[in-house]
Amino acid sequence: MFKIGDIELKNRVVLAPMAGVCNSAFRLTVKEFGAGLVCAEMVSDKGIVIKNEKTMNMLYIDEREKPLSLQIFGGEKETLVEAARFVDKNTNADIIDINMGCPVPKITKCDAGAKWLLDPDKIYEMVSVVTDAVEKPVTVKMRMGWDEDHIYAVRNAQAVERAGGKAVAMHGRTRVQMYEGKANWDIIREVKQSINIPLIGNGDVQTPQDAKRMLDETGCDGVMIGRAALGNPWMIYRTVKYLESGELLGEPSAREKINVCILHLDRLIALKNEYIAVREMRKHAAWYLKGIRGNGKVRNAINECQTRDDLVTLLNALVIEIEEMEQSQIQAG
C-alpha cells in the first residue's frame, strides 16, 4: 500500500495508460480484478481546450474505477495548464498524469510525449506550472531516455520532484526502442535511489513473478502492467495475490475468459454504441482468445462480426466445442 499525494492505493499494482485501449469499459473491467490504480489513455490538451467532442467523451470516468489517473499530453505551456485546470475542476479523476513517454512521431513532432526527455529544464518548467495550477496530485509517466546517447532518467525524475510532482512512472526503454528490445531495470533502480517521491516501474512485466522481481531488484514502490493485461485482467488479479501472499493462482478457463470478454463488450457498447464497440472489440476478443485451444479458426471470423450477437455467438460456440472436447477426454480417460 502506498500513497500518491493524498490518494491512497490499496496495492502496488497499476494498469498502464494505453492509447486506444484504456477507455472506461476496459479500465472498469481491470479494476474489478483488483488493480490498485487504473490509468486512462492519453488525452490531447488542445482537444480539451477546444472542447472537441471525441476528446471530451474520453474524460468519462465511472465512479467504480476510482482511484484513477487521467493522462494529458501537449507541448505548449498555456494549453497544458488550461487542460490540467479543466481536468482538475470538471472531472472525477483523482490524479493528473503528464505523458512524457509516447514515442509516436505525430506526438513527438508537436514537442509532446517523449520529446520532453531531451530537456530536464523544460520538464521542471512544465510540471511546475501545472502543479501550481491544480489541486489534484500531478504525476509523470516517462521513458528512461530518448536514445542510448540521451538517457537523462535521473535528472528528469528529479526535475519532476522539484517541480512538485507526486510520483513518477518510469518505462525502462528509450523512445528509439519503442516497444522492442529489453527494458532496463537498472535505470529504474537508479531513479528510485535518486528521488523521494514514489516510483512506479514499467516494462517487461509479463507474469506475477516478474512483478515481484521488479519490486525486489529496483526497490520501486509500485509496478505498472500494460500489454500483459490485454485480454487478460487475470494478470492483474494473479499479481496482486502473488505479491500479497506468495500464492500463484492458476490461469482462467476458456469459459471464464469468454464470459469476461462478453462483459467487456457490453460495457463498450454502453459507452460507445454497438457499431463502434463491436469493431473496437475485435482486437480485444483476439487478445482474450490467446492461449485458448483452437482459437486460430475463429480469429478471422471475429473480424467479420458486425453485431454483438454475431460476436457472442462465435465466442460461445468455441467454448462449447472446447468443453465438449474436454468432457469426452475425461470420459475416455
Side-chain angles (χ1 to χ4, degrees), residues 28-41:
L28 178 57
T29 303
V30 171
K31 184 69 176 185
E32 290 175 341
F33 278 81
L37 177 70
V38 294
C39 301
E41 60 187 313

Side-chain angles (χ1 to χ4, degrees), residues 19 22 30 39 45 61 64 74 114 139 149 178 191 193 213 221 248 256-257 272 277 291 297 310 313 332:
C22 285
V30 171
C39 301
D45 61 349
I61 299 163
R64 293 171 292 175
T139 61
D149 297 321
M178 301 290 280
V191 172
Q193 292 170 354
R213 192 165 55 84
D221 302 279
L248 191 60
E256 287 174 307
K257 282 191 168 189
K272 299 197 173 188
K297 59 189 173 184
D310 289 345
T313 299

